[in-house]
Amino acid sequence: MNAQLKTFSQDGDYKVADITLADWGRKELDIAEHEMPGLMSIRKKHAATKPLKGVRVTGSLHMTIQTAVLIETLKDIGADVRWASCNIFSTQDHAAAAIAATGTPVFAWKGETLEEYWDCTLDALTFTLADGTQTGPELVVDDGGDVTLLIHKGYELEQGDASWVNSASGSHEEQIIKNLLKRVAAERPGFWTRVVKDWKGVSEETTTGVHRLYQIAEQGKLLVPAINVNDSVTKSKFDNLYGCRESLADGLKRALDVMLAGKVAVVCGYGDVGKGSAASLRAYGARVIVTEIDPICALQAAMEGYEVTTIEDTLGRADIYVTTTGNKDIITLQHMQAMKDQAIVCNIGHFDNEIQVDALYASGAVKTNIKPQVDKFTFAGGNSIFLLAEGRLVNLGCATGHPSFVMSNSFSNQTLAQIDLWANKDVYEAKVYILPKQLDEEVARLHLEKIGVKLTKLTQAQADYLGVAVEGPYKPEHYRY
Amino acid sequence: MNAQLKTFSQDGDYKVADITLADWGRKELDIAEHEMPGLMSIRKKHAATKPLKGVRVTGSLHMTIQTAVLIETLKDIGADVRWASCNIFSTQDHAAAAIAATGTPVFAWKGETLEEYWDCTLDALTFTLADGTQTGPELVVDDGGDVTLLIHKGYELEQGDASWVNSASGSHEEQIIKNLLKRVAAERPGFWTRVVKDWKGVSEETTTGVHRLYQIAEQGKLLVPAINVNDSVTKSKFDNLYGCRESLADGLKRALDVMLAGKVAVVCGYGDVGKGSAASLRAYGARVIVTEIDPICALQAAMEGYEVTTIEDTLGRADIYVTTTGNKDIITLQHMQAMKDQAIVCNIGHFDNEIQVDALYASGAVKTNIKPQVDKFTFAGGNSIFLLAEGRLVNLGCATGHPSFVMSNSFSNQTLAQIDLWANKDVYEAKVYILPKQLDEEVARLHLEKIGVKLTKLTQAQADYLGVAVEGPYKPEHYRY
Amino acid sequence: MNAQLKTFSQDGDYKVADITLADWGRKELDIAEHEMPGLMSIRKKHAATKPLKGVRVTGSLHMTIQTAVLIETLKDIGADVRWASCNIFSTQDHAAAAIAATGTPVFAWKGETLEEYWDCTLDALTFTLADGTQTGPELVVDDGGDVTLLIHKGYELEQGDASWVNSASGSHEEQIIKNLLKRVAAERPGFWTRVVKDWKGVSEETTTGVHRLYQIAEQGKLLVPAINVNDSVTKSKFDNLYGCRESLADGLKRALDVMLAGKVAVVCGYGDVGKGSAASLRAYGARVIVTEIDPICALQAAMEGYEVTTIEDTLGRADIYVTTTGNKDIITLQHMQAMKDQAIVCNIGHFDNEIQVDALYASGAVKTNIKPQVDKFTFAGGNSIFLLAEGRLVNLGCATGHPSFVMSNSFSNQTLAQIDLWANKDVYEAKVYILPKQLDEEVARLHLEKIGVKLTKLTQAQADYLGVAVEGPYKPEHYRY
Amino acid sequence: MNAQLKTFSQDGDYKVADITLADWGRKELDIAEHEMPGLMSIRKKHAATKPLKGVRVTGSLHMTIQTAVLIETLKDIGADVRWASCNIFSTQDHAAAAIAATGTPVFAWKGETLEEYWDCTLDALTFTLADGTQTGPELVVDDGGDVTLLIHKGYELEQGDASWVNSASGSHEEQIIKNLLKRVAAERPGFWTRVVKDWKGVSEETTTGVHRLYQIAEQGKLLVPAINVNDSVTKSKFDNLYGCRESLADGLKRALDVMLAGKVAVVCGYGDVGKGSAASLRAYGARVIVTEIDPICALQAAMEGYEVTTIEDTLGRADIYVTTTGNKDIITLQHMQAMKDQAIVCNIGHFDNEIQVDALYASGAVKTNIKPQVDKFTFAGGNSIFLLAEGRLVNLGCATGHPSFVMSNSFSNQTLAQIDLWANKDVYEAKVYILPKQLDEEVARLHLEKIGVKLTKLTQAQADYLGVAVEGPYKPEHYRY
């Protein structure tokens, strides 16, 4: 980032790119509130009772305008909030400024280094009590699980298991985390144990983070109750699908102004994110090819008229590549070297390891920066590719992420999850929970009026015939929507 | 039906419309086999072991060409099969003839009366042992649950509970069932008890039938293990969705040759069947309006750009109505009376009570039959509507149902369920089961090659990263596809 | 056809398949009238003045329900009408019966031989005057130009030029026409000269027929004024495009019940018919490949996301082939032999020479008839293909053609063209005319109310700004819509 | 604009926002060249002959990256070029800088005042000969007709007709033009006469400018031959349609990040621009309503499933309004006052008078600037609307206009038109011409390879059958594509 522009608060309690952007951010926050009826309705409902009153909440989630509305919602219902972004490119600086200007500690700017990123995460989870003690949050809002990871790894170290921290293997980023933990160990003895003592739960936003949670839980290592927000229908079937349908093309356009019609585009993965991505590209007149490992998703793609084949089979004829898998090494260096000249490569999955960016850098390809988050890599043979957002989320790195309305659904689930975790802090075990269907339906309901939907009401006789209550929930748990 | 054309076998072991249609049916069966790779693959795999060897199987499922391929698959793996249709209009007479001609007992023709329908169901579930004893099937393939209902109600009666059979309330059809049970009680004492003694399980095809099963199970009355085939992903997310996307318009076109472009079409319900129906109508250039009771499905419809409102709000401006809900009284007599002149009314849900057909008949509206399964009802005020297939499944009543390829998915699940029920007959309890995800993925896999899909294979490193096996299953149970 | 069922009238003035179908036909006519507001409005407007009073009109146009409404419109405004179909498979027998039953001479049934077809055409253009003289029509409604061809060729012969009639070359069908002309020459000396003397004009329906007309006109041989109805916007941009979007899939479904989702479909030609065909197949989930010779249309197809390649490039991977070109030899015998097993081959262009059907028959491939208009041809190597409607228009041969609403646009243009030709019979020269834009807009206007369209009205100031009249026409002649 | 950033060249021969942006502009120019195969191919073909050698060309066309490639193409084939933008918001400053840096005079920056805009136009058309004489271009590339207007009005004044210049009526912008002409009259006597003397022709880009040309020609006042580039198929059916399908949403997203799914969007006008706009919005899941005055276009919209109604009928229920008509006063102040709170209003037609922006300013509504080209207007009643790009082209004002590939088609036509005008300068009359179909097909052909299209080649026999040449052109003049 442009060093001159970074703004630190006097008391060290925010780090944003430029605090003078706060006014602009506030104007956009006002607009966003209008598009986020779920959050506004939750604010209203809990205005008096303030169910999170005084609860320390750390958020690690893309510091966008929409997230700013989430933050202010959490504050409105009583929480004491600290925030970091969960991606080095995803912060909207005017959003961060607007939040910082209200006195909420926020540590995020667009274009952090990885070291800065993890420092910000640590800042966001460090609360200082009145007596000066440094401790952590009581609740965590996580997206991708970085806060959860940090606490678990820090705690593990303080519990005496230094094997991971001292291991040499792992990515460049892993090494940065290890260094940070060593530094904390030196500077703040007992910190993670204090953190874990007060920690009551985490709600996790995204497929990849949820996947991590289930893995930790299966290993019996999960320290707190967790709510899988991603698998609320009103999250994964909306944010992941309709959000990407809106924001993928936005990222591509702001990055390269490329004509999509007539292009051959490869979407790797046909989960919800892949479905939204493929639908968007096709609607622009691109010819979409899907790659899949799962035969069910592959058959779905075929039923929608997409060619389904391997990535190798597309090299030389495809113009655009988008990874959406949540898996690693989807696009390898060898793939990139064999692509059509000036192919565009990007990722819309949570982590940047879907594309072998490290290998690309190490390959000797010549990098030309076109503009922020848009780089051209030219290989020895003369061919080049464009890599967007250095392989990080293209919609957040090159555009502004998902629009407010769909995020209102996700963040309503987040807020309800936070309330639920706190309310049940003495009941829940250290497992992964999903919000009950009734809340899921409630979140949907809060968004209907804004867009003019009129719902039909069951008669009692119809409800009896179906064996459901008139007011829902309406579907069995296994229903897939 | 045209009485002259109905054909009974000499030994009473089939009733079809016209046995001379068998050759034509066989030609279409040959074509269908080519489109049903899942079933053909299962045949091949189990050709030697014949896992259903000698097992008595009753099927109650639309007697179409596709079902004929299912029947011959069950026979190929050893079963002793008897079959009826599960809808008075859904039989394809040449399919029934082709099956009857091979010596398989089948009792089905297009245009049965309700009395004939239930007699056929009884015929299909009556096996005569070598010693002349009349008994029932060991396994049931059900679609809508009519065989399951009949056995449960018959058994209840023989157990001494005559309350239902003697009750006066219920629809016209219910009365027919009661009469049948009384007749059986008189003619075949102890029959249902014998049936239940040998009965080992049922696999159920459709949303509505599954719903019935869960209700019976909740009441603790379920007599055998049941497999919910509907909720295999490769069934509900394919047959219900893509099947209807193909067959709804087919039914409308064969019925009335109506131009869909420019019309306003109302789809009641936005589950999988509604989603497929709405997509099809929109693709033809109709303006689709959706009605929903479930806020989540309603929000999905809105995200796809459909107007979502109540049926009352559409009266006078909509041209076509399609019910897809699995609920009753969706289109009432009052609705029909207030519709635009010459509106088209039809149902693609399993049962015909979605539209108040009885009330329509009782209303004094003048009925003009245009051709089989197409009737015009003219109200006193002069306005008229068209009712298709008397409110029964329009795709099966007015066209030929879903095409082979998608049914191959459903019926592969059915076949696997039958094999599974038999293999586990000593293990399973009287509960409702769903097939394991691995089988679901297997069914999908069997259909990929036919349409040229090339699947990507996980590396071991990728599988480890995801924490799954290279060969699957790939997704958690709660995954929604 | 089934000989027993063909019905001749006692006075020889109709030949239909079965006159007892008239009642059913009438019911469907009543329904169609409701969907054809343009024709009904023209009837009403000219009911009193009867601008075609006593004018002898011959029609050669698919004898469907929609055409029946056209015929009755022409009669309503005064014409003396005789009719034949313009394709051996396109007649709906109940439509023909309904027309015959009203006393209008009609000569058409589904499944004519080519000899019968041309005899019917001759019957339709033979009017017998009160004095017993045989003469011809004063106006012709043509579709494909067969009546126009017959009169021109007959007249040429009577003018002393027997070169064509006596030439040996030409297709099987051409030989049949030559034989007919020789027979007429023998039986009705001077007939064609009498016909031409009274003939005042022809309005032509379709791309191919119009193409023929321009060719004759360029050669200076056109005998009468002609109106190119095809190139009214409300014809070619509606009937050809939206009509095929509705009827292609209808033909495929009624023929083979094939699942379209997941299939690879090749559409040869991307004119209006190709555009409608491709859109329909894609909407069903087929993956559509387009072939084109015209770089502009090819680029349009690419912009819509279709793969555009040669037919040779698709052999072995495509499941369905549809020709829409108006050209010949698009699908050759060699192509068919190299197709994937059980590929489906059909044509939706006007003539059947787009597919090399003659060569297919001559190839020694074994033909198996599945049902009327559906044949399987098996090649020596074991591979087979399905040929629909023997290569004739699949939508009319295997289904019922375009729906009423879109045909109301086309036939309104036809009717206005007939009125215009008669009104200007002393003014127009023997050239090809197009209807003025004002009539084109009028035809559109007549169809708006039925589907609930509310038009915006220009203010005078806006009209002045644009330099148009408030009531139109609104666009320059070269505007493409 | 930000005054500090504006850069003037020392010799006064360019005015751009910031010449240091040239490097970035050049990088994007390099990328664009890859996407503009038509222009690159024309460069190559005429590299040796330089058909515009030494010809003075003035361009008035959005100064974007794509236009920069056009400018360099014109220079490559010999032209002496000066350039201005044709809209105050449409310049991409890095594109202008890149062009200025090569020594080509360019006068354009994003955010000009109207006075600056017209001064730039004058700068662009003022060539100074070696002897110091100020004169004008020999050829003009116009977009919207502003250069053509200025020359015609200036010439009219010098010919002694001062009526228009002295008239008081007209918009604010008209007054600015009049002032400019008075100033030129004072400072440069005889200038316009000199300009007209050398002026040989103009090629015009857009619907609105073409409309103006036909009006001037009809009045007999057109001074030079003009080529209507807009009505080349490869322009209007590509740029207008597919260009807007790509760039409208881009403008909306960059302006307000608004979720389009679920919104009700009104598209005023269903010409090519409206068709592209509606398709784009629908693809995002918006529910699109169309307004139209032309019954044919209205019927097209209905056939595509759009609701077609009046704008008045949408007030209170629509969220987004887009004007695409080329007409004025489409959205009035009264409309805006009655809209749903926070409705978004924008225009994608050439001129800004489609929305009553002047009346909005005069209404007393409170304007809040959110960010450049995004303003919120709050009415007395509390309701507000967002106005984008002050009613000017939203895709160019809020995003970067159409992508390169589609502009390569338009600009290939422009270049061919310039070559044609010069080659025929002694032949053509002062009329409006359209490029011959062969060139139109050639432009398409130049763009096929880039996107992998394989064209089918007619056989001689097929060409003969159609009566066309193997190499085209393939369609009659009236063909609509």
Side-chain angles (χ1 to χ4, degrees), chain B residues 127-159:
Chain B
F127 285 78
T128 306
L129 301 183
D131 64 2
T133 322
Q134 279 184 323
T135 184
E138 290 162 305
L139 293 177
V140 169
V141 174
D142 221 352
D143 183 352
D146 281 352
V147 167
T148 300
L149 176 82
L150 204 59
I151 300 179
H152 277 78
K153 288 298 177 191
Y155 186 69
E156 184 182 285
L157 183 62
E158 289 190 357
Q159 293 294 96

Side-chain angles (χ1 to χ4, degrees), chain C residues 465, chain D residues 114-115 117-118 146 149 164-180 182 212 328-329 351-359 392:
Chain C
Y465 179 78
Chain D
L114 284 170
E115 283 83 359
Y117 171 80
W118 284 98
D146 281 352
L149 175 83
W164 184 76
V165 166
N166 289 326
S167 65
S169 65
S171 67
H172 172 57
E173 184 163 5
E174 243 179 70
Q175 200 50 55
I176 289 167
I177 305 171
K178 291 170 185 172
N179 293 344
L180 175 95
K182 287 177 191 169
R212 272 190 185 180
K328 66 174 187 176
D329 297 328
F351 286 118
D352 64 338
N353 57 355
E354 305 213 7
I355 302 165
Q356 289 186 336
V357 177
D358 287 350
R392 286 180 169 78

Side-chain angles (χ1 to χ4, degrees), chain B residues 48-368:
Chain B
T49 56
K50 298 204 181 301
L52 294 188
K53 190 164 186 179
V55 180
R56 300 191 306 271
V57 176
T58 290
S60 163
L61 202 160
H62 312 291
M63 184 57 247
T64 62
I65 290 289
Q66 291 73 37
T67 299
V69 182
L70 167 61
I71 291 170
E72 300 201 332
T73 301
L74 292 170
K75 288 173 65 183
D76 243 45
I77 61 173
D80 175 12
V81 178
R82 297 178 72 84
W83 213 266
S85 198
C86 64
N87 184 298
I88 61 174
F89 290 137
S90 65
T91 296
Q92 288 179 265
D93 288 325
H94 59 322
I99 290 302
T102 64
T104 302
V106 56
F107 306 87
W109 57 93
K110 191 174 187 75
E112 300 158 352
T113 64
L114 284 170
E115 284 82 0
E116 290 168 336
Y117 171 81
W118 285 98
D119 285 351
C120 286
T121 304
L122 181 64
D123 281 340
L125 65 74
T126 305
F127 285 78
T128 306
L129 301 183
D131 64 2
T133 322
Q134 279 184 323
T135 184
E138 290 162 305
L139 293 177
V140 169
V141 174
D142 221 352
D143 183 352
D146 281 352
V147 167
T148 300
L149 176 82
L150 204 59
I151 300 179
H152 277 78
K153 288 298 177 191
Y155 186 69
E156 184 182 285
L157 183 62
E158 289 190 357
Q159 293 294 96
D161 179 357
S163 58
W164 184 76
V165 165
N166 290 328
S167 65
S169 66
S171 66
H172 172 57
E173 183 162 6
E174 245 179 69
Q175 202 48 55
I176 291 168
I177 305 171
K178 292 169 185 173
N179 293 345
L180 175 94
L181 288 175
K182 289 177 189 165
R183 207 180 72 220
V184 174
E187 297 174 356
R188 308 184 186 176
F191 175 71
W192 298 111
T193 305
R194 283 196 306 281
V195 169
V196 170
K197 184 171 147 285
D198 285 1
W199 192 22
K200 301 303 180 199
V202 57
S203 58
E204 166 61 45
E205 178 81 8
T206 200
T207 316
T208 303
V210 161
H211 190 74
R212 273 191 185 181
L213 278 176
Y214 283 109
Q215 286 181 319
I216 304 176
E218 271 166 35
Q219 296 159 9
K221 296 187 177 171
L222 187 61
L223 296 170
V224 288
I227 291 186
N228 165 0
V229 168
N230 182 66
D231 288 298
S232 289
V233 187
T234 48
K235 199 281 174 179
S236 56
K237 281 290 195 182
F238 287 81
D239 182 337
N240 305 15
L241 179 64
Y242 301 123
C244 292
R245 194 177 65 181
E246 303 254 338
S247 66
L248 170 63
D250 199 15
L252 287 168
K253 289 288 184 183
R254 298 199 204 194
L256 277 169
D257 299 311
V258 66
M259 180 97 180
L260 294 172
K263 294 292 194 302
V264 175
V266 178
V267 175
C268 302
Y270 198 68
D272 287 316
V273 171
K275 285 174 172 73
S277 298
S280 168
L281 293 166
R282 168 184 278 185
Y284 273 92
R287 183 145 58 86
V288 176
I289 299 174
V290 167
T291 73
E292 250 299 343
I293 56 144
D294 182 324
I296 297 177
C297 298
L299 194 57
Q300 287 184 307
M303 289 299 101
E304 294 298 347
Y306 298 113
E307 182 180 347
V308 184
T309 191
T310 60
I311 201 166
E312 287 75 17
D313 193 45
T314 69
L315 299 172
R317 65 180 171 119
D319 303 282
I320 298 168
Y321 288 81
V322 185
T323 56
T324 78
T325 69
N327 202 345
K328 67 174 187 176
D329 298 327
I330 302 305
I331 296 183
T332 65
L333 173 63
Q334 285 69 31
H335 291 151
M336 290 185 272
Q337 286 168 333
M339 285 176 184
K340 197 172 168 180
D341 188 30
Q342 305 210 6
I344 298 169
V345 178
C346 64
N347 165 50
I348 196 168
H350 189 82
F351 285 118
D352 64 337
N353 57 355
E354 305 214 7
I355 302 166
Q356 289 186 336
V357 176
D358 288 348
L360 177 62
Y361 271 97
S363 73
V366 178
K367 172 178 166 179
T368 311

